[in-house]
Amino acid sequence: MKKIGVLTSGGDAPGMNAAIRSVVRKCIYHDIEVYGIYYGYQGLIDGNIEKMEIGSVGDIIQRGGTMLYTARCEDFKTPEGRQKGIDQLEKHGIEGLVVIGGDGSFMGAKKLTEAGYPCIGVPGTIDNDIPMTDFTIGFDTALNTVIDAIDKIRDTATSHERTYVIEVMGRDAGDIALWTGLADGAESILIPEVDDNFEDIIERLKRGHERGKRHSIIIVAEGVGSGFDYGQRIQDATSLETRVTVLGHTQRGGSPTAFDRVLASRLGAQAVDLLIKGKAGRMVGIQNNQLVDHDIIEALNNKHQLDLDMYKLSKELSI
Ligand code: ADP
C-alpha cells in the first residue's frame, strides 16, 4: 500500500483531530503517502482531496472539531454516488481509506470495501453508541463537558432550592446520561435502555425534599424524550419549582481530554496498521483496554450494550 486517504464523516467529535494526526503521521512513518479528504464522502465525490505532510497536522491534537471538516452526503448512499467517489480515488491513486465517524459512515466504508477499495472504520462519536468497542472517540470529553455544566447548575440549584432537569445528548444511547449521572450524583437518570417508572422518580424527589435536600438533579437522555416535557410533568407531580437545561451542542465541542487524545492516537495508528496488513472492511476499537478489530457488518449487527450494573449502582447510591 503506497497511498492512503483519511476522512471524517457524520457528526463531529472532540478527538477526531488527534485521530487524523495519528493516521497521517503513522503513514508518513511507514513511507506511505497520505491524502486528506475534506467534507467526508461529499468531498470524496467532489475531489476535495489534498496530500498531507507532517506539518499539515501540527498543532491540532488539542483542538476539538475536525480540521478535515465533515458533512452528510445522501448521494453516497447510491451506487452512482459511490462510483463518483471511486473515480476520485482512482484518479489520485489512493489504495485504502481510513473513515473516522459513526455507524452511518461505517456503512459507507463497508460499501466502498465491497466495491474493491479497502476501508477501515475508526469510531468517532460522543454518543458511545458503536457496538464492539468499549469507548468511542469524543465520549470522554463530552462527559467532562456535561459534568462541568452540571456542577455549575448545582451551585445555582442549591441557592434557589430547585429541581433541575438536564437533557443530555446520546441519540438512542443512554451512555452520556448514565455516566454523567453517576459522576454527578444525580437523583434520577432517565435512559432509553431502561423503562423507567415515573412514579419512582417522583417518590425519590419527594423523599429527598422531606429529608431537607435543597436541590435535585434529574438527567434525561435525549433518547427518552424532551427534557422540557419531563420538567413539566415533574413540576406538576411534585409542586417543586423545576427548571430545565438542554445542554445541546456544547457537548460536541471543546478540547479533547487526555483519554480521548490517547484513544484517538491508538485507534488511528491501528487503522493504518490494518491497511498495511491487507485487511479491509473492519472497524477498530478498544475492549478491556486491548486494541481490537471486527468486521464492520458483524459489529453493526450487534447492539451496543450499556452497562446496566452501573445503572443499578446509580440507583443504589441515590437513595
Ligand atoms: P454517523 O457516521 O455519525 O453515524 P450518518 O449516519 O449521518 O453519521 O452517516 C454519515 C454519512 O455516511 C452519510 O451522510 C452518508 O454519506 C454515509 N452513509 C450512511 N449510511 C450509508 C449507507 N447505508 N451506504 C452508504 N453510505 C452511507
Side-chain angles (χ1 to χ4, degrees), residues 9-11 41 72-73 76-77 82 102-105 107-108 111:
S9 163
Y41 293 122
R72 296 206 153 86
C73 173
F76 204 74
K77 293 182 180 169
R82 286 196 295 279
D103 49 4
S105 305
M107 281 309 295
K111 295 220 167 122

Side-chain angles (χ1 to χ4, degrees), residues 8 12-22 60-66 100 122-124 137-139 141 252-257 260-265:
T8 50
D12 70 330
M16 279 185 163
N17 277 329
I20 296 166
R21 173 182 178 273
S22 173
I60 64 164
I61 195 166
Q62 79 282 17
R63 293 185 205 278
T66 159
I100 304 164
V122 175
I137 297 165
F139 175 60
T141 306
R252 287 251 289 261
S255 176
T257 57
D260 274 330
R261 297 181 201 190
V262 171
L263 179 66
S265 300

Side-chain angles (χ1 to χ4, degrees), residues 253-307:
S255 176
T257 57
F259 181 89
D260 274 330
R261 297 181 201 190
V262 171
L263 179 66
S265 300
R266 293 176 78 188
L267 294 182
Q270 194 204 7
V272 173
D273 274 339
L274 290 180
L275 284 174
I276 292 171
K277 283 185 196 150
K279 295 207 181 181
R282 311 207 44 97
M283 65 158 270
V284 295
I286 189 157
Q287 290 175 305
N288 303 317
N289 205 26
Q290 299 295 312
L291 295 177
V292 293
D293 59 280
H294 299 287
D295 179 80
I296 286 178
I297 294 298
E298 197 187 307
L300 295 185
N301 281 342
N302 271 273
K303 204 172 153 25
H304 162 69
Q305 300 291 338
L306 173 130
D307 189 338

Side-chain angles (χ1 to χ4, degrees), residues 219-273:
I219 313 267
V220 176
E222 65 178 347
V224 297
S226 152
F228 285 104
D229 290 347
Y230 275 102
Q232 191 60 55
R233 285 175 66 191
I234 288 168
Q235 175 147 318
D236 291 347
T238 60
S239 302
L240 297 171
E241 194 181 354
T242 305
R243 290 282 193 274
V244 179
T245 302
V246 178
L247 293 179
H249 282 81
T250 54
Q251 294 162 91
R252 287 251 289 261
S255 176
T257 57
F259 181 89
D260 274 330
R261 297 181 201 190
V262 171
L263 179 66
S265 300
R266 293 176 78 188
L267 294 182
Q270 194 204 7
V272 173
D273 274 339

Side-chain angles (χ1 to χ4, degrees), residues 53-85:
E53 309 294 346
I54 297 175
S56 312
V57 290
D59 201 26
I60 64 164
I61 195 166
Q62 79 282 17
R63 293 185 205 278
T66 159
M67 58 135 350
L68 290 176
Y69 308 109
T70 180
R72 296 206 153 86
C73 173
E74 283 305 307
D75 212 8
F76 204 74
K77 293 182 180 169
T78 67
E80 299 77 32
R82 286 196 295 279
Q83 189 53 50
K84 288 186 214 158

